[in-house]
Amino acid sequence: MRLTWLLLVAWLTAAPTPFACSIVIRHDRAGAAYLERAKDYDFVCQVGSGHGTLMGSGWALTAAHVAESLDPFFDTVKFRSSEYRIRRVILHPTWRGDLAPGLAELDWIDLALIELEETVTGIEPAQLFGAHTEMGRVATFVGSGRTGNGHTGATASDGQWRAATNRIERVDEGWLYFTFDSPPNGTELEGVSGPGDSGGPALIEADGHHMIAGVSSRNDDHGLGQCRYGTTEVYARVSTQIDWILSVTRDEDVGGPWRLTESGWPSSPAARLAQSFWKVLAEGTDSALVEFEQSHRLPELLEPLGAESRAQQWIDQRSHWGELTPLWVASPGPHRFSVLTESSSGVWRSFRFSTRGEDPVQLRALRVSRGTPVPSLIPDSLKQIQAELEIAREKGVTREQLVSLGNRAFKIIERSGSRGEVLSALRIVAELCRSGPPMSARTLRRRALEVAARQGEGSLRARTMLTTAFVPPLERVPVDLQGAEVAAYEADLEMLTTDGAQPWLSADVTYAKIRLRVEIDRWRAVPWQGTAERRRVRAELERLDREVGDLEAPTGGTYTEAIASLRDQLEALPFGSTLPSGGRPTAGGEPLDLESLRGRVLVLTHWTSWCVPCMKAIPHERAMVEALADEPFTFVGVSSDPSPEQAQATAQARGMPWINVWDAEAPNRPSLVSLFRVDGWPSVFVLDAEGRVRFKFQSNLIRSHFDTTDVERAVRQLLAEMK
């Protein structure tokens, strides 16, 4: 999400377009040196579509134009192998995203601070460079994403972290300037960061420490094309902002979050507009909402969609959401304001306001998100259960945990006199059902439905919320799920049907059934029912899209978005299909025809060299291969590395004795990644002796370690079928 300075002015009145890119390097240097250098900087993290730097055990420093797009209640900061929830976001007070085009000021400071909900452990933070001696020093840039060289700019994406160096050529009060010099000029590992690296650090080595001298803000391309030789990298200067940074980290109250019942609404321009919006939304009349849109929405934003149409959308959404109670607010800056609400059905939503001007205050954007806030914001009676559920999810919720946490949630329901608290407890039960062993969750699901039926006016919404509990995430479905269990799921779904008076409720039930059929029948133990079944499902999805496409789906987005995802799954390789014939190159150079492996059970595991879980899985994969050495079984790796040489080098260095296919596109031959719709590594597919896809295991099942129990169980099941 990096911006040229000229583009920044246009960005001020519209949301920026993410353009993920990593470190762009010299064309005459091997890329491996840049990869190797990046290993020393595990304190650089991913923040939204940009980066940040750990500067204390609980704080990250990033760019304001990155941080202002974060949801302070739902978003996270991601380090290489861990993820941390956000407590608060504070933009530099000079940063204003509210001015009209042409009024951008060079004295804006593109800095922001993020406080994390928990202390980061196992990573040594970088320190702040406070001396005004940056001129002429060599700094290091760190980033991940797209890469390229000084001739081409950013051209490819491989997800790997790289680090490059550059010399500070000019300094002023707020900025550090670097030039991307072409050889023979420049440093040995000369490079620049690019779009997607905003917020990342310019690091200076001093006194044996990594010191943050600047924060990535923009690239001035001078008409040469972004990230090419001759362009100028511009970083926000840290040394002149030390006092502001330290004052924020010492102030417990700045930025929020604040509990509304205790503090009332703040007085910033964005907060005043948010309070006005909340008043008219609660009133829910056409005239009040139309007047709000006409008075506060930027005129240019009313051209594509008028005030009357926008007002009707709010009324429709308000009907779908039910009663909303604003509980917490956060104020990252004077023109950014977020409100965390809980609906009558126990669903949490955040409303993020972006405004311009003082009198009148005008609305630039209002974004609504759905998620689960950090446990510290959830009412105390449910906070501990939610926290324990989050911890259990890291390794997978067991049957014992499912029963224990579920019983505790129902005890809260039994003693509570608050409908809101009951619905919040039911929401946690729904999360439990989706997180634990599917069939073990059936008792909880039925018990939750009985409670939902007693909720009077909240009954329909409670039952709607529970539809998500009836479709377990793909990675939690056991490999031995059979037709009887699928039928049991569908029988439970029938309990949710209504007379159709609420179209969004019947849509939720229909969507849940289709998703159940697509995700379980296709990928697990029940073969897909053929093209006629597909046509019927497609027609059902088209009907849903026409009737309720703009409404909110149980997955969080609109039905149109959810349906698009299911359509994509329908076009993927069907369960039960056989692999295509034809040779595919291996990392060692010899072609391999996968069809030649018919008659043996086959495991295909998709991996890359930069995937930490993939590398950690290798010893466990090796043990499984050795345990099945006497069986008609073959294990094949599918590498997505940039070249067969890199794949072969990794296979040799890591001790991968099996065949590794290098997965490249070719004319009339799609890659296995595209054929299987792989969107995460490692992803494991198990095929039977007839060459049919029978099981799939996704990357979010195989976390930081690889437990081959389920994979080996699937293999042994297919071996037993051969006898």
Side-chain angles (χ1 to χ4, degrees):
M1 204 161 63
R2 292 173 51 84
L3 314 165
T4 65
W5 194 246
L6 292 176
L7 287 175
L8 176 59
V9 176
W11 171 78
L12 294 171
T13 56
T17 301
F19 177 20
C21 170
S22 178
I23 300 301
V24 181
I25 68 177
R26 285 177 57 159
H27 72 281
D28 61 343
R29 291 290 182 270
Y34 293 86
L35 295 170
E36 183 65 28
R37 186 178 180 88
K39 294 179 180 179
D40 296 330
Y41 306 104
D42 58 352
F43 49 77
V44 181
C45 53
Q46 291 180 317
V47 178
S49 57
H51 293 326
T53 309
L54 184 68
M55 49 157 270
S57 58
W59 289 88
L61 181 65
T62 186
H65 79 267
V66 170
E68 68 180 355
S69 65
L70 296 175
D71 188 316
F73 297 117
F74 298 150
D75 281 342
T76 60
V77 169
K78 301 175 183 178
F79 292 87
R80 307 294 172 91
S81 60
S82 55
E83 193 169 343
Y84 292 84
R85 299 292 295 266
I86 292 172
R87 180 178 181 270
R88 54 179 170 152
V89 177
I90 304 99
L91 308 180
H92 194 279
T94 64
W95 181 261
R96 294 165 60 95
D98 63 303
L99 297 182
L103 297 181
E105 297 290 343
L106 290 174
D107 61 359
W108 293 6
I109 303 300
D110 194 5
L111 289 177
L113 285 163
I114 300 172
E115 185 179 13
L116 306 177
E117 182 73 10
E118 299 177 19
T119 298
V120 177
T121 59
I123 298 176
E124 183 178 351
Q127 299 183 20
L128 300 176
F129 188 81
H132 301 311
T133 58
E134 301 97 337
M135 184 65 187
R137 303 187 73 150
V138 172
T140 299
F141 306 147
V142 185
S144 64
R146 294 179 66 85
T147 188
N149 63 56
H151 284 318
T152 65
T155 59
S157 176
D158 59 11
Q160 300 190 80
W161 289 88
R162 292 177 173 80
T165 57
N166 207 313
R167 190 175 302 277
I168 301 171
E169 296 191 351
R170 184 161 64 91
V171 175
D172 61 28
E173 179 67 18
W175 306 96
L176 306 177
Y177 300 87
F178 306 79
T179 298
F180 193 2
D181 291 320
S182 59
N185 299 319
T187 63
E188 179 66 19
L189 291 180
E190 181 87 359
V192 292
S193 51
D197 289 330
S198 281
L203 298 164
I204 289 176
E205 306 300 316
D207 300 324
H209 298 289
H210 300 300
M211 315 286 284
I212 311 171
V215 171
S216 177
S217 180
R218 66 183 191 271
N219 178 270
D220 292 339
D221 63 11
H222 312 301
L224 300 172
Q226 274 196 321
C227 309
R228 300 191 181 197
Y229 291 133
T231 61
T232 300
E233 281 288 286
V234 184
Y235 275 60
R237 189 180 183 187
V238 169
S239 65
T240 56
Q241 303 303 319
I242 294 291
D243 289 344
W244 172 75
I245 293 172
L246 295 179
S247 69
V248 168
T249 58
R250 293 167 181 161
D251 190 336
E252 290 290 332
D253 294 325
V254 63
W258 303 292
R259 184 73 183 248
L260 267 180
T261 54
E262 300 170 357
S263 59
W265 293 77
S267 58
S268 69
R272 294 197 304 271
L273 183 137
Q275 190 173 14
S276 298
F277 172 78
W278 220 259
K279 181 179 178 180
V280 298
L281 184 65
E283 183 179 334
T285 63
D286 289 352
S287 58
L289 285 164
V290 169
E291 182 180 355
F292 174 87
E293 291 286 347
Q294 291 174 338
S295 301
H296 295 289
R297 184 82 66 170
L298 287 173
E300 58 265 31
L301 299 181
L302 290 176
E303 292 177 4
L305 190 65
E308 292 79 6
S309 298
R310 289 181 181 274
Q312 187 58 52
Q313 284 188 341
W314 289 122
I315 290 173
D316 292 343
Q317 289 283 39
R318 175 68 175 79
S319 174
H320 176 45
W321 290 332
E323 181 182 352
L324 296 174
T325 303
L327 296 177
W328 294 85
V329 296
S331 183
H335 290 278
R336 298 292 184 275
F337 192 72
S338 297
V339 182
L340 178 65
T341 72
E342 187 180 17
S343 72
S344 56
S345 59
V347 175
W348 296 87
R349 290 181 177 84
S350 73
F351 291 71
R352 288 180 289 152
F353 295 82
S354 174
T355 66
R356 173 195 296 173
E358 301 283 344
D359 189 17
V361 183
Q362 292 182 296
L363 182 63
R364 296 176 62 242
L366 173 52
R367 296 177 175 86
V368 183
S369 303
R370 175 176 169 176
T372 302
V374 293
S376 61
L377 302 184
I378 298 175
D380 290 341
S381 57
L382 298 171
K383 180 168 60 177
Q384 187 59 38
I385 298 176
Q386 182 71 48
E388 291 182 31
L389 174 57
E390 293 297 330
I391 294 172
R393 278 175 168 164
E394 289 298 315
K395 294 183 178 180
V397 179
T398 65
R399 181 184 182 281
E400 291 72 22
Q401 290 171 322
L402 182 82
V403 173
S404 174
L405 294 175
N407 286 338
R408 287 165 57 189
F410 281 113
K411 286 182 180 178
I412 291 175
I413 291 172
E414 291 168 3
R415 66 171 183 260
S416 176
S418 164
R419 191 179 76 191
E421 190 172 43
V422 168
L423 294 175
S424 294
L426 286 176
R427 175 184 51 76
I428 290 180
V429 171
E431 292 182 26
L432 277 168
C433 292
R434 285 178 51 76
S435 303
M439 296 313 296
S440 298
R442 195 177 188 199
T443 300
L444 284 185
R445 294 199 309 268
R446 289 183 171 272
R447 190 175 174 186
L449 280 174
E450 293 172 359
V451 172
R454 300 195 298 266
Q455 295 308 305
E457 294 179 3
S459 175
L460 287 180
R461 297 204 174 273
R463 293 164 71 185
T464 303
M465 174 193 66
L466 289 172
T467 58
T468 59
F470 288 84
V471 186
L474 181 59
E475 71 274 12
R476 299 304 309 156
V477 180
V479 296
D480 57 354
L481 190 68
Q482 298 292 334
E485 284 86 354
V486 174
Y489 272 112
E490 293 197 332
D492 288 348
L493 282 170
E494 291 296 338
M495 297 174 64
L496 291 166
T497 57
T498 69
D499 58 5
Q502 301 289 342
W504 46 264
L505 178 56
S506 58
D508 282 355
V509 175
T510 302
Y511 173 81
K513 288 181 179 179
I514 295 175
R515 184 177 169 195
L516 179 71
R517 187 178 301 114
V518 170
E519 290 192 353
I520 297 179
D521 289 13
R522 278 184 62 246
W523 289 112
R524 294 295 173 173
V526 182
W528 186 252
Q529 298 302 314
T531 56
E533 177 73 358
R534 281 194 180 191
R535 285 195 295 270
R536 193 188 70 76
V537 170
R538 286 196 188 100
E540 190 72 6
L541 289 176
E542 290 172 3
R543 181 187 67 79
L544 274 181
D545 201 0
R546 287 194 305 271
E547 295 179 0
V548 296
D550 293 335
L551 297 181
E552 187 178 37
T555 52
T558 65
Y559 265 107
T560 294
E561 294 167 341
I563 288 168
S565 175
L566 279 185
R567 284 194 181 117
D568 190 54
Q569 292 185 43
L570 285 172
E571 300 307 319
L573 184 69
F575 180 93
S577 293
T578 57
L579 284 172
S581 60
R584 291 181 178 270
T586 64
E590 295 296 324
L592 172 69
D593 188 348
L594 293 175
E595 195 176 39
S596 67
L597 300 176
R598 276 182 183 273
R600 302 175 66 84
V601 174
L602 173 64
V603 168
L604 294 177
T605 179
H606 292 259
W607 63 273
T608 68
S609 298
W610 51 261
C611 167
V612 174
C614 299
M615 298 299 100
K616 288 185 176 181
I618 293 171
H620 305 281
E621 293 171 327
R622 199 159 47 231
M624 181 178 68
V625 170
E626 292 172 358
L628 298 170
D630 296 329
E631 301 289 346
F633 161 71
T634 301
F635 189 95
V636 174
V638 181
S639 171
S640 296
D641 279 346
S643 68
E645 292 78 16
Q646 182 174 339
Q648 180 70 357
T650 299
Q652 291 177 348
R654 295 282 185 168
M656 302 164 69
W658 46 82
I659 298 171
N660 284 283
V661 172
W662 181 58
D663 191 30
E665 298 275 358
N668 302 318
R669 189 194 67 203
S671 69
L672 294 175
V673 164
S674 61
L675 188 64
F676 284 97
R677 301 295 173 97
V678 172
D679 57 3
W681 289 266
S683 286
V684 182
F685 296 83
V686 185
L687 289 76
D688 63 19
E690 297 182 17
R692 298 175 303 181
V693 179
R694 294 286 295 275
F695 302 106
K696 175 186 177 183
F697 300 87
Q698 291 184 304
S699 57
N700 48 358
L701 174 66
I702 309 161
R703 297 183 181 273
S704 58
H705 63 285
F706 188 101
D707 182 355
T708 60
T709 302
D710 284 344
V711 179
E712 185 172 340
R713 183 166 61 147
V715 171
R716 291 190 181 279
Q717 176 180 322
L718 298 183
L719 289 171
E721 292 178 4
M722 297 174 62
K723 297 177 179 178

